[in-house]
Amino acid sequence: MQVIGTTKDEEKAFQCYLKSAEGGSHEGKNNIGYCYSNGIGTIKDEEKAFLKHPIVPEGGDSDAQFILGAL
């Protein structure tokens, strides 16, 4: 992805997703799981990725259901 006017910072993005997830955002929870499963902005940890995703499918997020099925 091309970044214009700023420096790409995956660790900061991870922290923003984490804050969003803690605030109850289904998308934030989904992004945290994605980051853990791919080592984006954090250490790759498939167990944490799996543990973050189950909450989201219960909320009806079809993208999260797909990602959880792929883990």
Side-chain angles (χ1 to χ4, degrees):
M1 173 181 11
Q2 183 179 4
V3 179
I4 300 172
T6 188
T7 302
K8 183 177 178 179
D9 187 338
E10 291 179 347
E11 290 178 19
K12 188 170 184 175
F14 178 81
Q15 292 302 316
C16 289
Y17 293 146
L18 186 59
K19 186 174 181 178
S20 176
E22 289 171 349
S25 167
H26 289 299
E27 189 172 324
K29 292 174 186 178
N30 191 33
N31 288 337
I32 286 295
Y34 180 81
C35 287
Y36 276 126
S37 66
N38 293 288
I40 298 171
T42 188
I43 296 171
K44 184 175 181 173
D45 188 328
E46 292 182 2
E47 184 176 345
K48 284 184 181 179
F50 182 79
L51 293 174
K52 297 299 177 185
H53 281 295
I55 299 166
V56 180
E58 293 169 6
D61 186 326
S62 60
D63 289 336
Q65 290 172 345
F66 174 78
I67 292 168
L68 180 60
L71 289 176

